[in-house]
Amino acid sequence: MGPGLDEPVTAIGAPRRLPGPLASPALRLVARRLLTAVPIVLGVSVLTFAVLSLIPGDTAQLLLGPEATPEQIAALNQQMGLDRPAVVRYLDWLGGAVTGDLGNSLVSGQPVTDELGSRLAVSGELVGLAFVLSLGLAIPVALIAARRPNRLTDRVSMLVSITGLSLANYVLALLLVLVFAVQLAVFPAIGFVPLEQGLGANLHSLFLPALAIAFPLFCFYTRFLRGDLVDQLHGEDYITTARAKGIGPWQVLLRHAFRNSAFGLITVVGLNLGTMIGATVIIEQIFALPGIGQMLLSAINSRDFVVVQACVVVFAVVAVAANLLTDLLYAVLDPRIRYGDG
Amino acid sequence: MRTPIPRFLAAFAALLLLAACGGGGQAGQGGAAAGPPQRGGSITVLELNSFAGAWPSGLDPATNTTGGANLSQMNAIFGGLFALTADEDGGNARVVPELASGYELADGDRTIRITIRDGVKFSDGTPFDAEAVAFNFRRNITSTCTCAPRWPLAEQNGISVEGNSVVLRFTRPYGAVINSMVVSNVNWIASPTALQRMGPEQFKITPVGAGPFKVVSNQLSSELKLTRNENYFKPGLPYLDNLTFKSVGGDQPAYQAILAGQAHAYEGMNTTPLIEQAQANKQLTVTIQPPTSPYLIQLNTKTAPFDNQKAREAVYYATNVDAIRKGLFKDWYPAAQTFTGPGGLFHHDTIDGYRTYDPDKARALVAELGGLTVDLGTLKSYVAEQVMTALQSQWEAVGIKTTIHSDQLNALIGNFNSNKWQAMLQTAGAWDPAAGVGVGFRFAATSSFSGVSDPALDDLLNQAAATVDPATRETLYLQAGKRISDNAYAPYILAFAPANVTAAGVHGPGLTTKIPPVLVNTGVLWDQVWTSR
């Protein structure tokens, strides 16, 4: 016998009744995800370390340049601890990482965590602003387009979306700089103004790079959401029922169709987080932003394995956290959803 | 090392030409200073993140492993015991004393006495004297940086202090010691007091020198903010109040940042379409530096096919240098037939008997060899990749089957170390062929990056480095160039040098005037850079 209409639906089997704070399904989900996050992050760190170890070339050789003698290379490798076996180096790094010490840069000798903090703030702001821009623009445009499909507004939005999807981030970035920084002189071409110097100046310095990341995503989200909304509006019984009750078209769109389409949108937003992180690496180079992407690329170029490892682990943690947030949002949007423990 | 990103940006630059601003006008002619220099102002200088814009190990002369690339940052903070200067057109290039007041060679060029300028102070107010210089010499020669000097120091009393002079004693004559100073870390003298007070880990972030500027903040490989050193030894200098170096991802974003007014100078541009566009913009000054290190095709004479001189000659005859110079680079860069460039010492445009383009002879040699297959590599960079692609088509036209690949520095070094490489498009030479990454780097039998093992050539190069007399050195280098040509060790292409792009109103020696590059880029004299903006 199936559950009643007002009974919680379980994904797999019946929920175990746990005492205390973990009785809440949402908290159980968080706890379970945090537990699964550990092997994921650990796996990423092992994989990263293995890949970095397999890359041909030598950190010392790269640092010293092509003129270096074998003696100089050996001395620097010893100085950096790179003459030890890879497993020993990894375990040494891991031992520090679990206590919050991500080690010292092989190249600068500075603690990685010192620099990660400030750079993470820059990249976090950049990704956050790109996220707000992409969704903040995509949702209203998709709603307007879906409201009257195949009309001028819809066709224009689809044309813009297709064009935007075909543009690479770095090409778009250069075009944005050319138009808005060089020709119109309304935004800076490079550089970052910290938040301490004022929110306005800070956002002004980040707008173009954020737009360069956001625009292709805006195009993708617009197309996806518009398509899903049109399907909902023209093929679902609950929409027909809502219309029969005399509910206005915008209310049908927002309270019924969009609410259902939001599930799919949340999924694609979560899946596109990797795209956003990848884009920051290139965009930070173009706009000379002192973010984690710039730090990562510099570390890759100088074979600074410790810094690369730290950056990748940070990205892994962010990805895991974003996935968790996505799942929680499902529960927020649909109270009927409950998660089993299986 | 180059990342793929600048390459993408360079490729895209040509497309942007259609949409970019910058109308017609006279080509920027760097060097003509508009009126007397002015005090004050601030400028931002951009550096490429894969070369001068990367200082991952900090800016302590003894521990900066990329010191050779970071000439500008190091010179701005530490100045130099000596500096390379030149007339505005790049001619009459010479090394002059700066923080040193002079030097003298003795004992058959085995001993050099460097006199330190009196009354100089570091920016922290402590005395800049011979003891401080000797301390730095001892510290810097042990550095793992390739910019550390290779002094043949005597074991006893190799470095000593006598009054306000530092005396270096060598085991053999070393005439190129002063010319090589300007490309080595011993030219940069750090404050021993500040080093002791801060400790090496902090000192590499906020180093203290006696140069025209002092450090305000330093985010490694990202941004270096400097301000005027009030203790600088030259009255009235530096002109600028503030100087900022920023790392940027490529020629295109750097160029656009200057157009947008967010930066005022960019060192080392080599994307030809952008240089051309910048030259047409009245708001910019483009200064193409006098070339010192020509591109050449290194041939590995230790392995097939180039252990056979006929195969080497075929490559000489198959290479149409003029087509490359004119077709790809607008005739900007002169042809080369030896390891010197017009901006360097002991230069000769031509070498007697040098084999030039002759496709019929190339075809005949290829036929005689029963075919010729070549693997040609280079380091990832815009100019090198353009030249390499042209070479492939030229060689294919005479029947030489050619595969090409451009590599990151690490892979390139691996290829050299494997000794299985066949042909490599590289640069060779330096302002003084014996200084820095000089001619021996590409041709000496002892170098890992040479395809040649010729004791007679080694002997010529060693003799030329040992002597001080310019006439003798010129004769020896001419003989070395002739020997390389006669044995067909490496065909030369063109003498390339990067360009500096500056916004209108910014002036300075090495920035808007010509000074021969000492190591890829020119050593800008930052104390004399000024702005009217």
Side-chain angles (χ1 to χ4, degrees):
Chain A
M1 188 175 166
L5 284 177
D6 53 353
E7 285 182 290
V9 177
T10 56
I12 302 172
R16 277 183 287 164
R17 300 291 177 198
L18 296 174
L22 291 183
S24 156
L27 283 177
R28 277 206 306 276
L29 168 72
V30 172
R32 203 168 56 242
R33 281 307 180 88
L34 287 176
L35 282 174
T36 55
V38 174
I40 290 171
V41 173
L42 198 66
V44 167
S45 74
V46 170
L47 195 65
T48 308
F49 196 89
V51 168
L52 290 172
S53 301
L54 291 171
I55 291 174
D58 180 305
T59 305
Q61 172 81 79
L62 194 67
L63 285 172
L64 297 173
E67 278 184 285
T69 63
E71 292 76 22
Q72 284 178 313
I73 293 165
L76 189 59
N77 270 325
Q78 190 178 19
Q79 185 185 315
M80 294 189 297
L82 294 175
D83 54 339
R84 298 174 301 162
V87 176
V88 173
R89 282 187 284 123
Y90 175 74
L91 292 174
D92 186 35
W93 175 85
L94 188 64
V98 294
T99 62
D101 175 13
L102 292 170
N104 290 357
S105 158
L106 293 177
V107 182
S108 71
Q110 305 296 305
V112 176
T113 41
D114 286 4
E115 193 154 352
L116 261 180
S118 65
R119 289 186 177 265
L120 203 52
V122 176
S123 297
E125 257 199 277
L126 178 62
V127 170
L129 188 57
F131 179 83
V132 169
L133 280 173
S134 59
L135 275 180
L137 291 168
I139 291 170
V141 169
L143 287 169
I144 292 164
R147 169 82 177 82
R148 294 177 184 276
N150 300 319
R151 300 287 180 89
L152 181 66
T153 316
D154 183 33
R155 289 180 189 277
V156 169
S157 75
M158 286 307 98
L159 182 68
V160 170
S161 296
I162 290 164
T163 308
L165 283 170
S166 64
L167 269 178
N169 284 109
Y170 70 89
V171 173
L172 179 64
L174 292 172
L175 286 170
L176 288 172
V177 170
L178 198 61
V179 175
F180 293 103
V182 177
Q183 303 280 18
L184 302 176
V186 289
F187 288 105
I190 56 164
F192 171 73
V193 178
L195 204 52
E196 303 87 77
Q197 292 180 30
L199 180 63
N202 170 259
L203 292 176
H204 189 240
S205 71
L206 279 176
F207 182 77
L208 281 190
L211 189 60
I213 296 171
F215 189 71
L217 292 170
F218 150 75
C219 295
F220 180 68
Y221 298 156
T222 302
R223 284 198 72 196
F224 176 87
L225 185 57
R226 178 261 179 204
D228 200 59
L229 284 170
V230 169
D231 288 348
Q232 298 278 340
L233 289 169
H234 297 93
E236 294 292 339
D237 291 344
Y238 74 96
I239 295 290
T240 310
T241 306
R243 283 176 177 152
K245 287 180 180 176
I247 298 172
W250 278 106
Q251 277 198 312
V252 170
L253 185 67
L254 291 168
R255 293 186 58 185
H256 297 277
F258 177 63
R259 191 161 181 171
N260 267 344
S261 295
F263 286 96
L265 183 64
I266 289 166
T267 305
V268 296
V269 167
L271 290 172
N272 271 292
L273 184 84
T275 307
M276 284 181 104
I277 290 172
T280 60
V281 176
I282 295 172
I283 296 302
E284 284 175 12
Q285 299 303 312
I286 292 171
F287 289 93
L289 300 176
I292 197 168
Q294 193 190 58
M295 184 181 179
L296 175 62
L297 195 67
S298 171
I300 290 168
N301 285 343
S302 57
R303 290 288 190 279
D304 195 340
F305 298 159
V306 175
V307 174
V308 174
Q309 186 87 350
C311 291
V312 173
V313 166
V314 165
F315 288 153
V317 168
V318 169
V320 167
N323 278 320
L324 174 61
L325 196 64
T326 303
D327 287 350
L328 287 173
L329 273 173
Y330 288 146
V332 169
L333 282 168
D334 189 348
R336 293 174 307 160
I337 292 179
R338 294 291 183 269
Y339 294 85
D341 289 332
Chain B
M1 159 174 148
R2 287 241 172 204
T3 65
I5 292 168
R7 190 178 160 210
F8 293 149
L9 301 179
F12 184 64
L15 292 176
L16 284 178
L17 288 173
L18 299 170
C21 71
Q26 293 305 304
Q29 296 298 317
Q38 297 175 23
R39 256 297 319 274
S42 306
I43 67 166
T44 295
V45 180
L46 301 177
E47 304 283 2
L48 187 65
N49 66 352
S50 57
F51 184 62
W55 59 100
S57 55
L59 296 169
D60 177 346
T63 58
N64 179 0
T65 53
T66 56
N70 309 139
L71 282 176
S72 276
Q73 296 93 320
M74 301 302 278
N75 287 343
I77 297 166
F78 298 102
L81 289 171
F82 296 89
L84 181 66
T85 187
D87 296 344
E88 282 199 355
D89 63 357
N92 190 29
R94 64 232 175 248
V95 172
V96 296
E98 288 271 311
L99 288 161
S101 59
Y103 70 93
E104 56 184 16
L105 288 157
D107 188 26
D109 302 338
R110 284 182 173 81
T111 299
I112 181 168
R113 176 186 299 274
I114 299 169
T115 309
I116 307 307
R117 192 175 293 278
D118 288 324
V120 177
K121 284 188 164 57
F122 287 105
S123 62
D124 62 356
T126 55
F128 182 98
D129 54 21
E131 288 291 350
V133 173
F135 169 84
N136 275 268
F137 279 5
R138 293 186 188 110
R139 191 168 174 259
N140 292 2
I141 59 171
T142 62
S143 164
T144 51
C145 180
T146 52
C147 57
R150 289 180 187 75
W151 288 338
L153 283 172
E155 281 190 31
Q156 296 296 315
N157 251 0
I159 300 171
S160 62
V161 174
E162 294 178 12
N164 203 25
S165 296
V166 180
V167 180
L168 303 175
R169 291 181 178 82
F170 300 137
T171 56
R172 56 179 169 81
Y174 186 45
V177 58
I178 292 297
N179 283 356
S180 66
M181 192 78 79
V182 294
V183 292
S184 78
N185 64 357
V186 286
N187 204 38
W188 302 312
I189 306 301
S191 163
T193 311
L195 174 65
Q196 189 175 25
R197 182 170 49 83
M198 289 185 207
E201 289 308 312
Q202 180 56 35
F203 189 83
K204 67 172 69 167
I205 308 298
T206 52
V208 174
F213 295 92
K214 53 188 182 181
V215 177
V216 175
S217 65
N218 177 12
Q219 186 161 36
L220 297 179
S221 300
S222 182
E223 185 178 74
L224 174 69
K225 287 188 173 179
L226 305 175
T227 192
R228 193 170 191 271
N229 172 14
E230 300 296 343
N231 288 330
Y232 191 52
F233 77 100
K234 293 182 186 176
L237 295 180
Y239 292 123
L240 293 171
D241 287 333
N242 301 294
L243 174 62
T244 299
F245 291 99
K246 267 188 181 173
S247 181
V248 72
D251 284 3
Q252 179 70 38
Y255 176 67
Q256 292 188 167
I258 293 173
L259 288 178
Q262 260 90 51
H264 310 97
Y266 177 54
E267 289 190 86
M269 180 176 279
N270 63 22
T271 306
T272 317
L274 284 177
I275 293 173
E276 201 174 4
Q277 190 184 340
Q279 284 180 321
N281 189 324
K282 291 177 188 173
Q283 297 306 305
L284 303 175
T285 302
V286 178
T287 310
I288 298 176
Q289 295 298 345
T292 58
S293 309
Y295 269 97
L296 81 166
I297 305 154
Q298 282 187 270
L299 303 174
N300 191 351
T301 64
K302 302 165 191 174
T303 186
F306 295 119
D307 52 355
N308 182 341
Q309 182 161 335
K310 284 181 178 169
R312 303 201 296 268
E313 288 176 10
V315 168
Y316 268 77
Y317 290 128
T319 303
N320 187 350
V321 171
D322 279 343
I324 293 170
R325 285 179 52 244
K326 289 168 184 166
L328 292 178
F329 302 112
K330 320 287 178 190
D331 216 359
W332 290 341
Y333 309 116
Q337 292 189 357
T338 185
F339 49 80
T340 58
L345 298 175
F346 321 122
H347 175 62
H348 286 262
D349 285 332
T350 57
I351 296 290
D352 286 344
Y354 186 89
R355 298 170 184 83
T356 52
Y357 179 58
D358 189 334
D360 293 336
K361 282 185 181 175
R363 281 190 199 95
L365 282 165
V366 171
E368 192 181 334
L369 290 162
L372 181 57
T373 303
V374 178
D375 178 78
L376 173 65
T378 194
L379 186 67
K380 275 188 187 298
S381 84
Y382 178 85
V383 171
E385 286 171 329
Q386 293 273 302
V387 172
M388 187 173 66
T389 306
L391 288 172
Q392 183 186 34
S393 63
Q394 289 178 1
W395 295 359
E396 293 277 357
V398 298
I400 301 172
K401 291 179 184 168
T402 312
T403 55
I404 58 172
H405 53 91
S406 53
D407 301 314
Q408 299 288 2
L409 183 62
N410 251 13
L412 188 90
I413 289 167
N415 285 337
F416 272 113
N417 289 338
S418 74
N419 211 20
K420 290 176 184 170
W421 62 279
Q422 293 180 349
M424 287 280 198
L425 179 69
Q426 298 289 319
T427 57
W431 173 69
D432 182 327
V437 184
V439 60
F441 185 69
R442 298 290 180 205
F443 289 101
T446 51
S447 170
S448 309
F449 302 90
S450 160
V452 178
S453 181
D454 180 346
L457 179 62
D458 291 348
D459 190 47
L460 287 169
L461 297 178
N462 290 336
Q463 284 182 59
T467 186
V468 177
D469 178 52
T472 307
R473 293 188 76 196
E474 178 153 13
T475 302
L476 289 164
Y477 281 130
L478 196 55
Q479 288 172 11
K482 177 92 172 102
R483 185 164 183 86
I484 289 167
S485 169
D486 288 350
N487 289 286
Y489 286 147
Y492 290 88
I493 312 292
L494 49 82
F496 168 81
N500 292 338
V501 178
T502 48
V506 176
H507 311 270
L511 199 58
T512 53
T513 72
K514 295 184 177 186
I515 295 178
V518 289
L519 208 156
V520 182
N521 286 343
T522 287
V524 176
L525 304 179
W526 291 105
D527 58 353
Q528 294 167 60
V529 172
W530 62 279
T531 180
S532 57
R533 296 174 71 87

